[in-house]
Amino acid sequence: HGHEDEYVQQVQETVKSIVRVTFANVVTFRQSSLTTFNSFKTSDLYDATYQILDMVASLVFAKGDGRLASKVIELFQSFSNVELECIRGIVCLFIMMALNHLYSYKNRPGRKAKSTSASFPFLFGMNDDGEEFAWREEIICAIKSILMEMLLDKSQAVRFLSIQAAGSLFSTRDGNDSLGLSNVELHEDIIQALLWNLSHDPSLANRSVAIQSLPVTIETLPAIVSRTRDAKLKVRVDALDVLCNKVDVKTLTRNQRIEILRNGLSTRYPATYQAAIKMLCCGWMKSLKFDPVKLLELLEATSREESEESREVYEDVSVKAARAIIAAASDDFQVFPTAQSATDIKTGNHGSSAETSREFGMITSEIVLADLSAPEIREYKANVLNWKRFNLGNICRDDKADQNGCDDVLSDYISPSLVLYARTLCDVIAASTVLTADKKSSLLSDIVPDVTVLGEAIEKHIHKLNDILMYMEDLDEEEDPGQIRVHEIEEEREVFICLNLLKMSKVIDMNEEGTKRYFSNIIHRMLCSPSTHADVIEGAVLALSQSHDNEAAFLLAISEIISNVIEIDVTDSGELVAQTGSVHINSEVRKEQYLRGIEILSVALEKTSRRMSSNPILLNLSSTILTAITDISLGPLVREAGVSCLGRFVILLEESTIIDTYKPILMEIAFGEEEKIEIRAQAILALSDLALMFQRIMAPITVGNVSDQEVSLSALLVKMMSHSKKSLALVAAECAAKLHFTGKMHDGRIVAMLLVMYFDKSFAESTNVEDNSAKDVGSPTRLLQLLTVFFPAYSLSCDIARETLKFSFKPLLSIVNERTNVKVKGRKNITWPIAKIIEYACETLEHGYDTVMKNGHEKGESFVKDESPILAAVMGICNFINEEIEDISTTFLRALCKILSKSYIDVESENMKSLGLLKQALEEMAMNVTDETAINYAETLLGILDDVRSDADVDEESAMTDTESVVEQETRDNAVDEEESALADDKSAVAEGTREEDLEKESIEADTISPEDYSKKSGLRSRRSNGSSIPTFASLGAQDKNQRRRSSRSSRQSQNGIPSFATIGTPEGNCSEQNRKSDQESFCSDDSSSSYFSDDSDF
């Protein structure tokens, strides 16, 4: 008593000394090998250090009043910032121990504290819950401040340990937390930090442990669900395990359930698939008492609020879930995947297709249900395979019992989920590879006894759907919007039930003629009835195809239905009347009939193969399609449907018929400026589909409404991609990408336009990854996703594709320049990242070349690249500037020249001819550009090409060499002439004195020398004296060629104020130059010389 503070100080120093010595031992123990925490964990020192630190944590944090704990935490906080990773990891390890002991407090009410405990509260505590909570909470706050920094540590191992330590805040070793210190509301800051690690930590191990450390709350659940689509397999599996063990399916939203199953039931990875099935069967099904229908109801496959694409996704996920549940009940219904493509295996880090098949084959019913007890497994199988409950006859009888005494159209019919599960059960039985044919037939008859039961169910729910529609027509939307909403939901439910009943026709035995006739008559009545709901038309046509043995019979049935649906004829007076009487038909009814007929025909054509191309029934159907297109009174909606149907129809015909008859029609519609955008889009889609099948579609033809000149499909695409309506441009761009990728078209202009669209900010801002319309043609999101894949794939496809990408640089610059110069009042001009566009194109090309070279080396083939992508880009920029210098803005010009200054060209590895052309283009650009900033940028590239000889340099050097050689030769000849003249003067006197003697001698020689020898002798002197001034034939041709080149270059230079090459280094008024010109003029007057220069000019 009276010395408590002294004792506290002594104990504090003792504990701190223990900690310091422990750290010192770690640092000095084989220092070089203990720099990382993983090396320390595998060392001999780890166990001893762990025990010492656990002893300290037990002494300081299990009991006491916080004075010792605060000092120890301060000491460890100082160690948390050291450079050595091993020490920082030990700090995290100690924090986990401290939290476990802080949460281990157990209050024992009614028990008095011993005198020793009361005397030493800093060691044994204060025996008061409020005081205990206060000091422990204060210590936890200090611990959290340490963790907040270490969760962002540069070391992956330290972040891993800190995440684990943070997880200790929400759970204890023995699950006991009497003071409520693990309440998530007290640790919001740590939760936010863990959420950041979960989403952004680059280490898969850290993301995996973050999933397990996070508490499951409404706020953290979306982040955990999102990890089911993580890039790494282990993270996805851990996320599914957490959702199975810690999350109740009822606490999830419908969208979350759909997302989890959609990501988990992927057939690419066996581990993910198995984890998802375990979660589904042992977690969710157990929570719902193993009722599969209740599970499907939670997925809510039908909803009026969702779009059609969303409902399709929900139905697809529901079917996958139902198939997995059925497969887990018995190995007889094994539907687990058995094979994968090689690409999927490689992407999923699996060794081979055989290995993956083996892994999927190991997913048996026993393995999936291993976490359930024996009674639970029996209950699971009894509920999932309850044949009596899912018998369609029993379901219909239950419906009749529910309707007895009830006149309300909203009487309690069967659940859509029940019908969906029954239909999936039929599909699983029919697809089983284990069951025999007799066993399959027996099980299917337990669900659908015969075709009459199915037919009655279909007709009953079709009538029910029609009653709902009639009832809704009588309701006033303004007076009772709630009732309208209820009936809309019921309408969706009935449509879903009808479609699933129609799909069950695939498993019905229709070998008997009476069965076929009965079922086809039901479908025939449905399709001919104008009151049949539009959403069930497609399902009814597909069901009708199941009741016919061949396509000819199916087309005949469709033809009869079309003739009954479109019961229109025209009298002599032009009035529209029905075929069955003289009742006048108004235009709206006629439009509805054609819409229904075209819809039925479009679905039927999708089920028809090209084997029926010459079938007369198929050919006769063209009249209905052409009437829908050409009859203006039917309106644009019918015309659009007709063009779409025509696109399906012409695919089935012969090539000659398509080219001669239907291609002009489609081209005229696509080029028609007065047509609606939707109609033109359908026409271009049909043409692009035909171009994939027939190369002659690409040939140009004359279109009457365009011009007298022939136009091609590529010209059509260019025109449409430049259209002001974005939707039409998007459709044309997708068609162009498809045709280029398949090799049907290679156009540098179109590729340049695709690049511009890919980098267009207006398109990027209108995209939405979560938008379900991304599946539709004409969606900006869809186009951007396609172009992301298109450019790399196109670069890898073939040589001509890479050349097309090269030639797209110049058109690309022209397009960007045009759009930059367009100014809209009140709107800011779009800034184009031209440098990024060119860089992306070059990188894409380089990747294509590298891949081709690599594959060629592996096969032993050689590959030579004419010029690099960067050289092609720079050439395109220079040529564009030289040709469009007057129309380029200063800003754009400087941007292009800046790109030139930053372009690196390896002179040694490039083609010298291409480098020469580039240097010539740069020199011409230097003469054309007047902006000093742009010139300074371009000089950088010119410096790189100093040692490269351009074609102009070669021509000038050749011309200079010719000029110098001619001048030198003339000077030498003049000197010889002067020397001979002087010598002649000296001898003239002597010659005059002896002339008489010479004449006498010559007269004597003339008697002895022949006339031929005399003429030769005199001719030799003539050639010697005059031959030097007569140029040869070949030299004149070369001189004329060089002269024409110099004169052309001189004219360009004179326009820019630069002296011509011909005036440099040549003396003004040179006599030899004048003599040479006169000689050339005299020589050119000859007939033979004129023909030579003509040939040379043509060459």
Side-chain angles (χ1 to χ4, degrees):
H1 296 286
H3 302 284
E4 182 179 354
D5 293 339
E6 182 180 352
Y7 293 153
V8 171
Q9 186 176 2
Q10 291 179 2
V11 175
Q12 287 175 350
E13 292 300 326
T14 302
V15 173
K16 291 165 68 175
S17 298
I18 294 173
V19 173
R20 290 193 185 97
V21 171
T22 303
F23 280 124
N25 288 335
V26 173
V27 173
T28 57
F29 181 80
R30 299 176 187 174
Q31 185 173 358
S32 59
S33 62
L34 294 184
T35 56
T36 64
F37 183 81
N38 290 331
S39 60
F40 163 71
K41 193 172 182 179
T42 57
S43 67
D44 300 335
L45 196 61
Y46 177 78
D47 291 337
T49 304
Y50 186 92
Q51 293 177 13
I52 293 173
L53 294 179
D54 190 41
M55 177 197 68
V56 172
S58 176
L59 172 67
V60 175
F61 298 105
K63 297 180 181 180
D65 57 2
R67 283 181 286 180
L68 286 177
S70 62
K71 295 296 182 181
V72 173
I73 286 298
E74 290 177 2
L75 178 62
F76 274 90
Q77 188 169 12
S78 65
F79 282 114
S80 65
N81 298 320
V82 299
E83 185 66 25
L84 199 60
E85 175 192 307
C86 177
I87 300 299
R88 301 200 306 275
I90 295 175
V91 171
C92 295
L93 191 65
F94 181 78
I95 286 176
M96 282 187 279
M97 301 174 185
L99 289 173
N100 287 328
H101 289 294
L102 283 171
Y103 287 174
S104 64
Y105 171 78
K106 295 181 180 180
N107 185 18
R108 296 180 181 178
R111 182 174 181 179
K112 295 182 180 181
K114 296 182 179 179
S115 58
T116 307
S117 301
S119 302
F120 300 97
F122 69 94
L123 288 178
F124 300 104
M126 296 171 289
N127 203 32
D128 181 82
D129 290 349
E131 295 177 351
E132 290 284 348
F133 179 84
W135 77 262
R136 292 174 189 268
E137 185 184 19
E138 183 180 352
I139 297 301
I140 290 175
C141 290
I143 289 175
K144 288 195 293 184
S145 65
I146 300 175
L147 288 177
M148 291 295 291
E149 296 181 1
M150 305 194 78
L151 286 171
L152 301 176
D153 194 274
K154 62 182 180 181
S155 170
Q156 179 270 331
V158 175
R159 293 198 308 274
F160 181 88
L161 292 169
S162 61
I163 294 172
Q164 280 188 325
S168 301
L169 287 169
F170 312 105
S171 61
T172 59
R173 187 179 301 174
D174 54 1
N176 182 37
D177 181 20
S178 58
L179 296 177
L181 293 171
S182 61
N183 192 340
V184 294
E185 297 178 356
L186 302 175
H187 313 301
E188 286 293 335
D189 50 351
I190 291 294
I191 291 177
Q192 295 301 321
L194 287 176
L195 288 174
W196 188 93
N197 285 91
L198 179 62
S199 302
H200 303 289
D201 199 305
S203 170
L204 71 92
N206 290 0
R207 296 199 303 274
S208 179
V209 73
I211 292 176
Q212 303 171 27
S213 300
L214 264 176
V216 178
T217 63
I218 297 177
E219 290 76 17
T220 61
L221 200 52
I224 297 175
V225 172
S226 67
R227 288 306 95 197
T228 58
R229 61 173 184 270
D230 193 275
K232 296 300 181 180
L233 178 64
K234 186 178 185 304
V235 180
R236 298 197 299 271
V237 172
D238 290 340
L240 292 170
D241 289 340
V242 169
L243 292 170
C244 177
N245 299 322
K246 297 183 180 180
V247 180
D248 189 354
V249 63
K250 298 176 184 177
T251 62
L252 296 168
T253 65
R254 176 198 57 196
N255 291 334
Q256 288 174 343
R257 300 183 196 113
I258 291 294
E259 182 180 0
I260 292 168
L261 292 178
R262 187 180 183 183
N263 298 329
L265 294 178
S266 172
T267 58
R268 297 184 65 183
Y269 307 102
T272 306
Y273 195 86
Q274 182 174 344
I277 292 179
K278 281 190 174 183
M279 176 200 67
L280 186 64
C281 299
C282 302
W284 292 7
M285 283 286 287
K286 184 177 180 179
S287 177
L288 299 172
K289 298 182 179 179
F290 305 109
D291 190 342
V293 178
K294 286 185 178 180
L295 176 64
L296 297 183
E297 288 175 351
L298 288 178
L299 299 179
E300 297 177 1
T302 59
S303 175
R304 186 77 178 185
E305 299 176 354
E306 302 296 337
S307 62
E308 182 179 353
E309 292 81 7
S310 298
R311 293 196 295 271
E312 291 178 357
V313 170
Y314 292 151
E315 182 178 356
D316 180 64
V317 171
S318 299
V319 169
K320 287 183 178 180
R323 292 171 67 89
I325 291 170
I326 297 169
S330 174
D331 291 336
D332 292 340
F333 310 121
Q334 186 65 261
V335 293
F336 302 127
T338 56
Q340 286 182 294
S341 65
T343 304
D344 292 340
I345 302 302
K346 185 176 181 180
T347 306
N349 298 323
H350 297 285
S352 62
S353 180
E355 179 183 352
T356 306
S357 301
R358 181 180 57 81
E359 293 181 14
F360 273 114
M362 294 174 60
I363 306 177
T364 61
S365 174
E366 183 180 357
I367 293 177
V368 172
L369 304 179
D371 295 340
L372 299 179
S373 62
E376 289 174 338
I377 293 176
R378 288 194 295 270
E379 183 181 1
Y380 177 92
K381 293 183 177 182
N383 290 339
V384 170
L385 303 178
N386 189 347
W387 308 112
K388 183 177 180 181
R389 179 187 180 188
F390 305 121
N391 182 276
L392 194 59
N394 296 335
I395 294 174
C396 293
R397 283 193 294 271
D398 294 339
D399 283 344
K400 293 179 182 179
D402 291 337
Q403 295 179 67
N404 289 336
C406 182
D407 296 331
D408 186 7
V409 295
L410 296 181
S411 59
D412 188 15
Y413 273 33
I414 59 177
S415 166
S417 298
L418 181 60
V419 177
L420 176 64
Y421 187 81
R423 191 258 293 182
T424 307
L425 193 57
C426 291
D427 293 341
V428 171
I429 294 172
S432 175
T433 58
V434 179
L435 299 175
T436 62
D438 294 339
K439 185 63 175 178
K440 288 181 182 180
S441 178
S442 176
L443 292 177
L444 288 174
S445 63
D446 290 339
I447 301 175
V448 185
D450 51 47
V451 71
T452 57
V453 175
L454 180 61
E456 290 178 0
I458 293 173
E459 287 188 310
K460 181 183 66 175
H461 285 278
I462 289 293
H463 291 313
K464 166 67 176 176
L465 183 58
N466 295 336
D467 292 342
I468 293 175
L469 294 177
M470 294 176 62
Y471 188 80
M472 290 177 63
E473 291 177 357
D474 298 334
L475 292 176
D476 190 348
E477 185 175 356
E478 296 182 358
E479 294 181 359
D480 198 353
Q483 283 292 323
I484 294 290
R485 174 63 180 157
V486 170
H487 284 78
E488 286 178 348
I489 296 175
E490 188 64 22
E491 176 191 354
E492 292 294 331
R493 289 165 58 90
E494 287 301 323
V495 169
F496 186 81
I497 290 173
C498 291
L499 289 176
N500 279 277
L501 290 174
L502 289 170
K503 290 178 181 179
M504 294 177 71
S505 61
K506 295 187 298 183
V507 298
I508 297 298
D509 185 8
M510 294 188 183
N511 293 328
E512 298 181 0
E513 188 63 29
T515 301
K516 295 179 184 177
R517 189 163 49 251
Y518 172 80
F519 187 76
S520 62
N521 288 337
I522 294 176
I523 303 301
H524 192 280
R525 290 193 297 270
M526 284 178 55
L527 295 175
C528 293
S529 174
S531 60
T532 302
H533 200 286
D535 290 348
V536 301
I537 294 298
E538 181 178 356
V541 175
L542 296 178
L544 182 64
S545 65
Q546 301 292 332
S547 61
H548 292 86
D549 295 331
N550 53 71
E551 293 180 347
F554 173 62
L555 285 177
L556 180 60
I558 291 296
S559 178
E560 294 175 354
I561 293 172
I562 295 296
S563 63
N564 290 328
V565 170
I566 307 178
E567 296 178 340
I568 302 295
D569 197 0
V570 182
T571 64
D572 296 336
S573 60
E575 295 181 349
L576 300 177
V577 298
Q579 292 179 355
T580 55
S582 60
V583 181
H584 289 272
I585 304 298
N586 60 40
S587 59
E588 294 300 325
V589 173
R590 187 165 179 257
K591 290 178 183 178
E592 292 178 0
Q593 290 179 349
Y594 266 95
L595 280 175
R596 176 60 58 86
I598 292 297
E599 183 179 4
I600 294 173
L601 185 56
S602 298
V603 179
L605 291 174
E606 290 182 354
K607 293 292 294 183
T608 306
S609 66
R610 298 196 73 247
R611 294 192 299 269
M612 306 299 295
S613 59
S614 59
N615 188 284
I617 300 175
L618 176 66
L619 299 178
N620 289 335
L621 294 174
S622 62
S623 60
T624 303
I625 302 174
L626 294 177
T627 302
I629 295 175
T630 57
D631 194 340
I632 302 176
S633 63
L634 294 174
L637 187 60
V638 177
R639 184 174 172 86
E640 179 185 354
V643 174
S644 176
C645 184
L646 181 63
R648 295 180 174 91
F649 176 75
V650 293
I651 291 177
L652 305 176
L653 304 180
E654 297 292 339
E655 182 179 4
S656 58
T657 305
I658 297 172
I659 299 299
D660 298 338
T661 306
Y662 295 103
K663 178 185 174 182
I665 297 175
L666 292 172
M667 290 287 285
E668 185 174 352
I669 294 173
F671 270 105
E673 294 291 342
E674 71 283 355
E675 295 283 359
K676 291 189 65 176
I677 298 298
E678 295 79 6
I679 298 176
R680 298 179 68 185
Q682 291 293 340
I684 190 63
L685 287 172
L687 286 169
S688 62
D689 290 340
L690 290 173
L692 296 175
M693 300 176 62
F694 310 109
Q695 187 64 33
R696 291 173 61 190
I697 296 293
M698 304 299 301
I701 62 171
T702 303
V703 180
N705 60 347
V706 180
S707 65
D708 296 335
Q709 298 180 354
E710 293 184 339
V711 291
S712 63
L713 182 58
S714 61
L716 173 62
L717 290 174
V718 170
K719 183 178 181 180
M720 284 187 150
M721 291 173 68
S722 306
H723 203 278
S724 57
K725 294 292 184 180
K726 185 183 295 186
S727 57
L728 186 60
L730 290 170
V731 173
E734 183 170 336
C735 294
K738 179 167 55 176
L739 292 174
H740 277 78
F741 179 70
T742 54
K744 301 297 181 180
M745 177 188 298
H746 296 286
D747 193 323
R749 297 172 302 166
I750 296 179
V751 173
M753 298 177 78
L754 291 175
L755 278 169
V756 171
M757 283 187 170
Y758 187 52
F759 285 90
D760 193 341
K761 291 183 179 179
S762 61
F763 284 98
E765 292 172 357
S766 60
T767 58
N768 183 8
V769 178
E770 302 297 334
D771 188 7
N772 291 315
S773 63
K775 292 185 177 181
D776 297 335
V777 178
S779 168
T781 305
R782 174 189 172 97
L783 179 63
L784 287 182
Q785 291 174 349
L786 290 177
L787 292 181
T788 302
V789 181
F790 166 74
F791 290 112
Y794 186 61
S795 177
L796 293 171
S797 59
C798 59
D799 292 335
I800 191 172
R802 289 183 286 275
E803 292 299 319
T804 305
L805 279 170
K806 282 184 180 180
F807 286 114
S808 67
F809 285 114
K810 185 178 174 183
L812 169 67
L813 299 174
S814 300
I815 296 170
V816 174
N817 185 45
E818 291 175 2
R819 299 197 179 187
T820 304
N821 294 332
V822 174
K823 295 183 179 179
V824 181
K825 187 177 181 180
R827 185 183 301 176
K828 186 178 180 181
N829 287 350
I830 298 177
T831 303
W832 289 92
I834 187 63
K836 281 188 176 180
I837 300 176
I838 294 177
E839 182 183 4
Y840 173 77
C842 290
E843 289 181 354
T844 303
L845 267 171
E846 194 66 39
H847 175 69
Y849 279 121
D850 292 343
T851 304
V852 171
M853 291 176 65
K854 181 180 178 181
N855 295 338
H857 289 319
E858 292 177 355
K859 298 177 182 179
E861 301 173 355
S862 60
F863 176 80
V864 178
K865 181 171 58 175
D866 292 337
E867 59 185 14
S868 65
I870 187 64
L871 180 58
V874 170
M875 281 290 297
I877 294 174
C878 294
N879 292 333
F880 168 74
I881 293 176
N882 291 330
E883 295 179 8
E884 307 290 340
I885 184 62
E886 295 180 357
D887 299 327
I888 303 176
S889 63
T890 303
T891 304
F892 191 51
L893 176 62
R894 291 178 179 178
L896 295 180
C897 291
K898 189 174 182 180
I899 296 173
L900 294 179
S901 67
K902 295 184 177 181
S903 301
Y904 174 74
I905 297 178
D906 189 359
V907 178
E908 297 181 357
S909 62
E910 293 288 355
N911 183 280
M912 294 306 298
K913 183 178 180 181
S914 300
L915 289 175
L917 294 173
L918 174 59
K919 185 176 181 181
Q920 184 176 354
L922 281 170
E923 291 173 348
E924 183 178 353
M925 189 184 76
M927 292 186 291
N928 294 331
V929 176
T930 58
D931 184 75
E932 291 295 333
T933 305
I935 293 175
N936 293 335
Y937 283 139
E939 285 179 353
T940 304
L941 187 58
L942 274 170
I944 299 176
L945 302 176
D946 278 342
D947 298 333
V948 177
R949 301 174 63 193
S950 65
D951 290 347
D953 294 338
V954 174
D955 293 341
E956 291 174 1
E957 291 177 5
S958 177
M960 177 66 78
T961 303
D962 293 341
T963 302
E964 292 176 351
S965 62
V966 171
V967 170
E968 182 181 354
Q969 182 65 32
E970 289 181 354
T971 304
R972 189 184 304 111
D973 291 341
N974 291 334
V976 171
D977 291 341
E978 291 176 358
E979 182 180 355
E980 290 180 352
S981 177
L983 182 62
D985 292 340
D986 294 338
K987 295 181 178 181
S988 61
V990 179
E992 184 67 23
T994 59
R995 181 173 181 81
E996 295 179 357
E997 185 180 354
D998 292 338
L999 289 174
E1000 184 178 357
K1001 291 181 180 180
E1002 287 181 1
S1003 63
I1004 297 173
E1005 290 177 357
D1007 297 335
T1008 59
I1009 299 176
S1010 65
E1012 290 81 4
D1013 294 337
Y1014 184 81
S1015 64
K1016 289 180 181 179
K1017 188 174 182 180
S1018 60
L1020 178 63
R1021 288 198 299 268
S1022 174
R1023 284 194 297 271
R1024 183 181 178 187
S1025 61
N1026 299 322
S1028 61
S1029 62
I1030 301 177
T1032 63
F1033 184 84
S1035 66
L1036 278 177
Q1039 291 170 10
D1040 183 75
K1041 185 188 299 184
N1042 292 326
Q1043 182 181 4
R1044 284 186 282 113
R1045 289 179 178 176
R1046 286 196 301 272
S1047 63
S1048 175
R1049 181 173 179 84
S1050 300
S1051 63
R1052 293 198 308 267
Q1053 292 173 338
S1054 62
Q1055 294 175 0
N1056 294 275
I1058 300 174
S1060 66
F1061 178 81
T1063 62
I1064 299 175
T1066 303
E1068 187 175 358
N1070 191 310
C1071 295
S1072 62
E1073 177 71 13
Q1074 295 176 358
N1075 294 334
R1076 186 173 66 254
K1077 289 182 179 178
S1078 62
D1079 292 337
Q1080 289 177 353
E1081 290 175 358
S1082 63
F1083 187 84
C1084 291
S1085 63
D1086 188 84
D1087 293 338
S1088 62
S1089 64
S1090 62
S1091 63
Y1092 171 80
F1093 285 112
S1094 174
D1095 295 341
D1096 179 69
S1097 177
D1098 293 339
F1099 173 76

